[in-house]
Amino acid sequence: MARTVKRAFKYRFYPTPGQAAELARTFGCVRLVYNMALQARTEAWTLRRQRVSYNATSALLTGWKKTEELAFLNEVSSVPLQQALRHLQVAFTNFWAKRARYPSFKSRKRSRRSAEYTTSAFRFRDGELRLAKMSAPLDIVWSRPLPAGASLSTVTVSQDAAGRWFVSLLCDDVIEQVPTLGVVGIDAGLDSLLTLSTGEKIVNPRHERANRQRLAKAQRNLARKKKGSANRAKARLKVARVHARIGDRRRDHLHKLTTRLVRENQTLVIEDLTVRNMVKNRSLARAISDAGWRQFRTMLEYKADWHGRNLVVVDRWFPSSKLCSTCGALAERMPLNVRTWTCRCGTVHDRDVNAARNILAAGLAVTACGDGVRPQRESSRTGRSSAKQENPRATKGVPVL
Ligand SMILES: [Zn+2]
């Protein structure tokens, strides 16, 4: 069976100075329009209890463009500005549906610099991409091929904190769905990135530790620099570059990993870590590992959907580490430094593999009850799980050890 999905392909590109200036101007206008529309919607609501629709903000934009002080909005392509209003609309829809917080203003320094072009604002022909208001095509590094005969529906241009330029191309792709019988439980860890119920341990990408030390050093260096100085700007860029390198390696690693897991398994069970994340731990390792887990889960969700797999998310209320996956007995204490333990039934457990097996068992129990498959995107935003919380085996357990 084959399935057509919308898929984004991201590439680096190198703009000419003219293109860079045009894009920087566009990013600025996108941010301004977004913030002004947000301001208008917030005022209408707080002062007059009025809801402002997307169409109304669109009319506002037309008005702004006619004023003298905002006439510069006419200098950039109108499509990214219109898209900014659509993004704001989505942010409000998510807020009303209680999936997200109230939309916040885009900051010049911290927000992602990006602009979205739809079909009327770009031309893609013979492998050349031209954006509105630009004569030359973008100099794109085609690091992997687009699907044959791909037609693009959306082009998103962005620049990251390290100053690198990217273009993300959204197009249709056909995915072959090959059924498989594999099942796997996945436990998130700190020392090893993931542990599978099969006993396999997946470690963090190589160099990650060294990069982390480099990041800590760069951050210490940045903290010593005087505010507003040129050296501080330089130090900040350095931090951004190390961050970018860590992010790139990790994303690459996670892409390979999630593709493999989804190819090999029909049912994949993961734990919902939102609960665990309530425990504040400000260590760098923890922050990076949590970011990695969120990314892993997002990738797993959409790839499972593409390939027709079941992704089950179980809540982390049941004591997956303390529970013997062989006999169901519950150990009394399980401090974090205990890596292996022996149950009263004689089974010697690796802590993480045992946890992964319990996660798998809980997930399969939930699927058997018919409660397992749930709306996937939704769940990752709200962090709520429809999966049953207790492991059916846990009730049989007798505290031992
Ligand atoms: Zn046991």
Side-chain angles (χ1 to χ4, degrees), residues 26-74:
T26 308
F27 294 163
C29 292
V30 162
R31 195 182 63 241
L32 179 69
V33 165
Y34 185 95
N35 286 345
M36 284 176 49
L38 173 55
Q39 176 76 29
R41 291 179 84 141
T42 305
E43 273 178 17
W45 178 251
T46 50
L47 301 181
R48 303 184 291 279
R49 288 279 169 257
Q50 273 173 1
R51 280 195 184 191
V52 178
S53 66
Y54 161 74
N55 285 336
T57 56
S58 193
L60 280 177
L61 174 59
T62 310
W64 294 334
K65 283 178 165 181
K66 284 179 186 149
T67 65
E68 201 176 315
E69 60 271 30
L70 293 171
F72 61 88
L73 291 176
N74 294 298

Side-chain angles (χ1 to χ4, degrees), residues 35 96 305 394:
N35 286 345
W96 289 322
D305 183 43

Side-chain angles (χ1 to χ4, degrees), residues 324-329 341 343-347 349:
C324 169
S325 58
T326 310
C327 73
W341 56 285
C343 176
R344 204 167 59 174
C345 73
T347 316
H349 288 297

Side-chain angles (χ1 to χ4, degrees), residues 190-192 204-216 242 246 249-250 284-285 288:
L190 252 187
D191 339 322
S192 45
N204 282 312
R206 258 167 10 106
H207 311 299
E208 172 135 330
R209 184 180 288 270
N211 274 334
R212 244 182 238 181
Q213 281 162 359
R214 215 165 284 155
L215 178 61
V242 184
I246 294 178
R249 286 239 169 89
R250 182 175 279 273
L284 188 59
I288 293 179

Side-chain angles (χ1 to χ4, degrees), residues 96-342:
W96 289 322
K98 296 192 167 37
R99 283 192 297 265
R101 288 190 209 178
Y102 194 80
S104 56
F105 290 108
K106 285 189 190 293
S107 121
R108 195 170 64 84
K109 275 192 181 147
R110 284 183 311 277
S111 300
R112 200 171 101 95
R113 275 165 289 185
S114 73
E116 196 175 283
Y117 295 79
T118 51
T119 42
S120 62
F122 66 82
R123 181 163 299 163
F124 182 57
R125 199 172 285 164
D126 304 325
E128 287 191 334
L129 180 67
R130 283 184 172 77
L131 298 178
K133 305 261 179 193
M134 290 179 204
S135 49
L138 295 184
D139 179 13
I140 298 174
V141 183
W142 297 101
S143 45
R144 55 179 175 155
L146 276 176
S151 81
L152 310 183
S153 54
T154 309
V155 171
T156 307
V157 180
S158 61
Q159 190 187 24
D160 74 4
R164 304 176 305 172
W165 295 86
F166 295 96
V167 62
S168 174
L169 312 176
L170 192 69
C171 61
D172 284 342
D173 195 17
V174 177
I175 307 255
E176 284 299 329
Q177 295 188 340
V178 187
T180 156
L181 291 172
V183 292
V184 71
I186 303 160
D187 179 57
L190 252 187
D191 339 322
S192 45
L193 182 62
L194 302 171
T195 305
L196 308 184
S197 53
T198 54
E200 184 183 341
K201 296 205 169 200
I202 291 154
V203 293
N204 282 312
R206 258 167 10 106
H207 311 299
E208 172 135 330
R209 184 180 288 270
N211 274 334
R212 244 182 238 181
Q213 281 162 359
R214 215 165 284 155
L215 178 61
K217 197 179 148 205
Q219 280 174 336
R220 277 198 305 274
N221 189 32
L222 171 63
R224 278 199 301 267
K225 296 285 182 283
K226 225 166 89 193
K227 275 212 172 121
S229 68
N231 277 336
R232 189 181 170 88
K234 233 186 269 173
R236 188 185 300 116
L237 190 62
K238 172 89 183 154
V239 169
R241 284 213 185 104
V242 184
H243 256 304
R245 183 160 48 198
I246 294 178
D248 286 353
R249 286 239 169 89
R250 182 175 279 273
R251 194 174 311 109
D252 200 48
H253 186 63
L254 291 179
H255 264 305
K256 285 183 184 133
L257 182 63
T258 46
T259 298
R260 192 196 107 200
L261 287 170
V262 164
R263 286 238 165 89
E264 289 173 355
N265 298 286
Q266 188 62 42
T267 299
L268 304 101
V269 187
I270 59 171
E271 49 182 343
D272 191 338
L273 285 191
T274 3
V275 178
R276 202 174 72 171
N277 290 347
M278 285 176 188
V279 183
K280 276 268 180 288
N281 184 329
R282 316 259 315 157
S283 84
L284 188 59
R286 171 86 275 167
I288 293 179
S289 123
D290 285 350
W293 175 258
R294 272 195 299 277
Q295 211 173 12
F296 171 78
R297 179 171 167 171
T298 307
M299 287 181 187
L300 209 57
E301 280 176 352
Y302 72 76
K303 287 183 188 178
D305 183 43
W306 286 354
H307 292 266
R309 307 299 199 226
N310 310 318
L311 178 67
V312 186
V313 184
V314 293
D315 275 350
R316 196 63 206 273
W317 294 109
F318 76 93
S320 62
S321 309
K322 291 198 279 188
L323 187 72
C324 169
S325 58
T326 310
C327 73
L330 201 58
E332 253 176 48
R333 283 176 54 247
M334 190 61 62
L336 265 172
N337 56 4
V338 175
R339 306 314 304 171
T340 59
W341 56 285
T342 309

